[in-house]
Amino acid sequence: MTKTTYLQLKCFIIALFTLGINAVTAQTKKEVETLKSPDGKLQLSFTYAYKKSVSYTFSAYGRVLINPSALGLAEIAPQQFIRSPHRAVNTVWKPVWGKRAIVPDRYNEVTIDLKAYQIVARAYNDGVAFRYIFPEGKKLDELTQFNFFDDYIAWFYNGENANKGPEKLTDIAGKRLPVMTIKANDNAYMAIHEAELATGEPLVLEATKGEKQIRVATKATSAWRVLMFGRSPGVLVDSHLIELLNKPPQKKYDFSWVKPGVAVWDWRINGAKVDTFKYKMSLPSWKRMVDFAAANNMRYLLLDADWYGPEFNQNSDPLKGGKVAQVHEIIAYGKSKNVGVWLYINDIGGRKYPLEETLKQYSDWGAAGIKYGFMTGGPEEKNTRTQLITEICAKYHLLCDFHDGPVHPNGQMRTWPNAVTREYCQAQLDGHKVFSPKTFVTSVFVNMLAGPIDMNNGLADLTQAGRVDEPSPVPSTLVGEAARTLIVFSGVTVIPDIPENYKKHPELLEFYASQKMPWRESKTLSGVIGEHITMARQAADGTWLIGAATDEQPREITIPLSFLGKGNYKALIIQDSADSDYRTHKEGYVSKTQDVNSTNTIRVKLAPGGGACVVLKKM
């Protein structure tokens, strides 16, 4: 062997050895990418193990809340880890309607290219979110996990029933539905949900008893997996994170016609008697309801089931059946009083008869919106159909409200402002059962984080005497019922009683009539999940309203008025009377007026299952 050949062989061996070392190093090397919220308080860190896996951790205010947790798609291994430069966005969203008139839209974003698919992540000041971008049409299993740092306390949505929870993470077993709300400690609250569910099956979560891990149990979609964060549960309630993760409306649609507001409703009035008049779901009663709505600045009358015939009868024609002539008359009468009329249609009528033709006809009649009930089909089919109906309604200037097991809200009100509410809760007296005060003050911290919900609070006769559909007494107080209508976020607040019962209580009627939407501002002033909540909202005319509600325990609440602007206000304060109690259905309350400003506080007493209401008008 010549010296030259020897040196060449030596170099070749060294090169092979170096390549081997580099290959081993590459396979054991881990790459990390960190994304922080604009204020620097929240941190989402991604870790890539070479061609094996991707995981993440989440921390808030310097404390780890989620340990390393899997990300990705089961059938596709990550092949690379290429990060785009971070993108910072700082703008505002001015919704057609919502919790407030101006919403900051501020976040940092990174895209991680794994070759076969991408992960897009965002960090806001009130939470983080990530989504998978992968070829359309593939049915892939999702690996997403949430490995919580400790055995936290959680609550879940539970259909038209009381929420599940509170329970420790290690006590949870089987599948659960979002929203999942988590208390880590007194200064750290989280919630898991999804946003912008364009296609696929709505999110389902899963847990194994004895573990602190929550897993995604549905096929992968392009929807955002959202982790909300707040230093108090009220921060979660006030968040716009779910809506902001949705796209703005398409330019071809003009939603300036969308007007949120209070609606009177004919379903629960049926059977009520006043002197010689008996309320029915028919024209004479509807006219009384329209007159009442017009006199009290309420925008709508909602006509519920059976107006076009028995709702579950296959032969009930949603265009020609039942009381169609009366419907034409009440729509015209409502227009003369500036009160819009909503029409109910269920899935039988919606499928047997041409859907778009039916909805166009309702629009041509002059209807303001539709309430769609009892949609059938699997979760993915219901999601597709819900979006179809929403878009058709937008085309023909109809608001929409989905009931009876709807697809969960996921921020659709940003893209489709006509999608004003859904019964993603146990509505008052729905399903022929009542809900407890504790259920209310739990649902507003769980279900309502998903978006606007239709709960049908606001009874003015707690006994429900003589009602046809459901005559059960309601476990609440008059003031508690009124307060709940303000606390619940919805683009249409549907109140269920007859005009005469509201007129018996002029102070409470003023509270209902003052709920002029869209809201300028909303603030959750205090609250404990499952115990109590106090909400303030500023109406379109500048009036501030406060509603407080409690569970089965009486309590006194001090309400600071620091959210008020400069100047003096006249406060109408309404609270439960000394003998009020959700168990006795007594209709007592006391009211007073006093002058206040932003330096003052108001102290109110809440009866068991009761509440308090405040109207603040600038002097």
Side-chain angles (χ1 to χ4, degrees):
M1 178 183 297
T2 66
K3 185 175 182 181
T4 301
T5 303
Y6 171 77
L7 290 173
Q8 288 175 337
L9 180 61
K10 183 178 180 181
C11 290
F12 178 71
I13 292 171
I14 292 171
L16 283 176
F17 181 76
T18 303
L19 286 171
I21 292 292
N22 289 342
V24 171
T25 302
Q27 291 179 36
T28 58
K29 180 183 177 182
K30 291 186 177 181
E31 297 187 59
V32 177
E33 176 67 19
T34 298
L35 184 68
K36 291 186 177 183
S37 59
D39 64 5
K41 305 297 185 182
L42 308 185
Q43 180 172 301
L44 188 62
S45 296
F46 298 93
T47 301
Y48 170 64
Y50 182 74
K51 292 189 176 182
K52 291 182 180 179
S53 64
V54 183
S55 61
Y56 76 97
T57 58
F58 173 72
S59 60
Y61 289 81
R63 175 177 292 185
V64 174
L65 296 175
I66 296 183
N67 284 329
S69 302
L71 288 174
L73 307 173
E75 294 84 352
I76 307 176
Q79 298 298 309
Q80 61 185 28
F81 193 75
I82 300 175
R83 293 147 287 187
S84 68
H86 287 202
R87 185 168 75 100
V89 173
N90 186 4
T91 183
V92 296
W93 170 44
K94 295 181 179 180
V96 175
W97 66 275
K99 300 170 193 173
R100 49 186 53 84
I102 299 176
V103 179
D105 187 8
R106 190 179 178 205
Y107 60 88
N108 293 325
E109 180 183 274
V110 66
T111 298
I112 300 172
D113 189 346
L114 303 167
K115 191 173 184 179
Y117 63 97
Q118 294 179 322
I119 296 174
V120 181
R122 290 182 183 177
Y124 295 76
N125 290 340
D126 56 352
V128 297
F130 50 84
R131 74 190 315 175
Y132 302 106
I133 306 298
F134 57 92
E136 293 184 9
K138 289 191 174 184
K139 295 286 186 179
L140 303 172
D141 292 317
E142 185 173 333
L143 299 176
T144 304
Q145 300 173 346
F146 302 85
N147 291 323
F148 291 98
F149 179 82
D150 207 347
D151 199 6
Y152 302 141
I153 302 297
W155 296 259
F156 295 85
Y157 168 75
N158 189 30
E160 295 183 21
N161 302 288
N163 299 87
K164 291 195 174 187
E167 55 193 337
K168 289 188 174 182
L169 294 171
T170 52
D171 291 333
I172 302 167
K175 293 184 177 180
R176 296 293 176 88
L177 298 175
V179 173
M180 175 188 182
T181 301
I182 307 109
K183 179 181 179 181
N185 57 57
D186 288 340
N187 295 305
Y189 293 82
M190 293 173 282
I192 295 173
H193 194 40
E194 68 178 343
E196 198 180 25
L197 179 64
T199 61
E201 181 181 350
L203 178 65
V204 176
L205 302 172
E206 188 174 32
T208 300
K209 189 175 178 63
E211 297 182 359
K212 295 177 291 185
Q213 180 190 97
I214 297 294
R215 302 179 296 279
V216 171
T218 41
K219 293 290 185 180
T221 72
S222 63
W224 293 94
R225 301 314 187 205
V226 184
L227 183 68
M228 303 168 71
F229 176 83
R231 301 281 275 175
S232 70
V235 173
L236 303 181
V237 173
D238 295 344
S239 174
H240 292 272
L241 183 54
I242 302 295
E243 299 103 276
L244 290 172
L245 288 163
N246 281 255
K247 294 181 178 66
Q250 297 178 46
K251 291 183 178 179
K252 66 179 179 179
Y253 290 107
D254 172 20
F255 287 102
S256 60
W257 56 271
V258 172
K259 305 296 181 186
V262 177
V264 293
W265 184 30
D266 75 343
W267 187 248
R268 296 286 174 219
I269 68 172
N270 194 20
K273 293 180 180 179
V274 179
D275 299 324
T276 60
F277 184 82
K278 183 176 182 179
Y279 276 90
K280 297 180 181 179
M281 297 169 69
S282 60
L283 187 61
S285 299
W286 294 341
K287 285 189 172 182
R288 284 193 174 213
M289 301 296 281
V290 165
D291 290 342
F292 172 74
N296 291 282
N297 303 303
M298 297 176 184
R299 288 191 189 274
Y300 301 113
L301 163 66
L302 170 57
L303 305 187
D304 216 293
D306 298 339
W307 68 264
Y308 59 87
E311 65 168 323
F312 297 115
N313 189 321
Q314 294 284 339
N315 296 319
S316 294
D317 187 335
L319 289 177
K320 300 177 182 177
K323 307 165 189 170
V324 168
Q326 294 184 44
V327 167
H328 290 168
E329 188 171 342
I330 195 59
I331 290 175
Y333 187 74
K335 280 187 176 295
S336 73
K337 302 274 186 172
N338 202 29
V339 174
V341 176
W342 288 58
L343 301 177
Y344 175 89
I345 181 173
N346 72 7
D347 209 42
I348 295 174
R351 289 182 185 271
K352 184 173 181 180
Y353 297 86
L355 179 63
E356 182 161 358
E357 180 183 320
T358 299
L359 297 181
K360 180 182 184 302
Q361 191 65 66
Y362 290 172
S363 177
D364 291 343
W365 291 352
I370 66 157
K371 176 179 177 178
Y372 199 95
F374 295 100
M375 185 182 292
T376 57
E380 185 171 353
E381 180 187 356
K382 289 176 70 173
N383 179 40
T384 301
R385 187 164 178 79
T386 297
Q387 294 187 55
L388 170 67
I389 293 169
T390 302
E391 185 167 3
I392 294 172
C393 285
K395 181 178 178 180
Y396 296 112
H397 288 198
L398 293 169
L399 304 174
C400 51
D401 174 5
F402 294 92
H403 261 238
D404 310 305
V407 174
H408 53 230
N410 54 89
Q412 70 288 335
M413 60 169 285
R414 185 181 190 191
T415 310
W416 303 104
N418 62 312
V420 292
T421 197
R422 295 182 186 181
E423 189 196 16
Y424 198 62
C425 58
Q426 181 181 342
Q428 182 74 278
L429 291 172
D430 200 64
H432 299 280
K433 59 186 178 183
V434 297
F435 61 73
S436 68
K438 186 178 184 67
T439 295
F440 177 81
V441 291
T442 303
S443 292
V444 292
F445 291 110
V446 182
N447 310 33
M448 201 167 76
L449 303 188
I453 58 175
D454 187 11
M455 199 179 279
N456 309 145
N457 303 112
L459 283 163
D461 172 12
L462 300 175
T463 68
Q464 289 285 276
R467 307 306 167 92
V468 171
D469 182 68
E470 181 52 68
S472 300
V474 175
S476 184
T477 69
L478 283 182
V479 186
E481 278 293 289
R484 292 175 181 184
T485 64
L486 181 80
I487 294 167
V488 172
F489 173 58
S490 179
V492 58
T493 299
V494 181
I495 60 174
D497 224 321
I498 61 174
E500 290 79 4
N501 287 339
Y502 292 113
K503 291 176 182 178
K504 291 178 187 176
H505 313 292
E507 296 90 352
L508 289 173
L509 178 54
E510 181 179 345
F511 183 79
Y512 288 112
S514 297
Q515 295 185 36
K516 299 181 180 70
M517 298 182 231
W519 304 119
R520 289 189 189 178
E521 185 58 77
S522 298
K523 295 177 181 291
T524 303
L525 302 179
S526 65
V528 175
I529 302 171
E531 295 184 15
H532 64 89
I533 184 171
T534 303
M535 173 68 69
R537 300 195 194 273
Q538 188 179 27
D541 65 357
T543 299
W544 277 96
L545 302 165
I546 301 172
T550 183
D551 60 1
E552 289 77 359
Q553 302 302 314
R555 65 184 76 244
E556 291 190 23
I557 293 177
T558 299
I559 304 172
L561 302 180
S562 54
F563 58 86
L564 293 176
K566 294 180 180 179
N568 296 318
Y569 291 76
K570 181 71 71 175
L572 169 62
I573 303 167
I574 314 164
Q575 53 190 320
D576 297 312
S577 59
D579 61 350
S580 291
D581 192 307
Y582 76 98
R583 293 162 292 194
T584 60
H585 317 297
K586 289 186 180 294
E587 298 184 352
Y589 65 90
V590 294
S591 64
K592 65 178 180 180
T593 59
Q594 67 183 64
D595 296 345
V596 297
N597 59 44
S598 61
T599 66
N600 298 134
T601 60
I602 293 175
R603 190 160 184 82
V604 292
K605 292 183 178 181
L606 282 58
C613 299
V614 181
V615 180
L616 293 151
K617 294 186 176 181
K618 197 163 188 178
M619 296 169 61

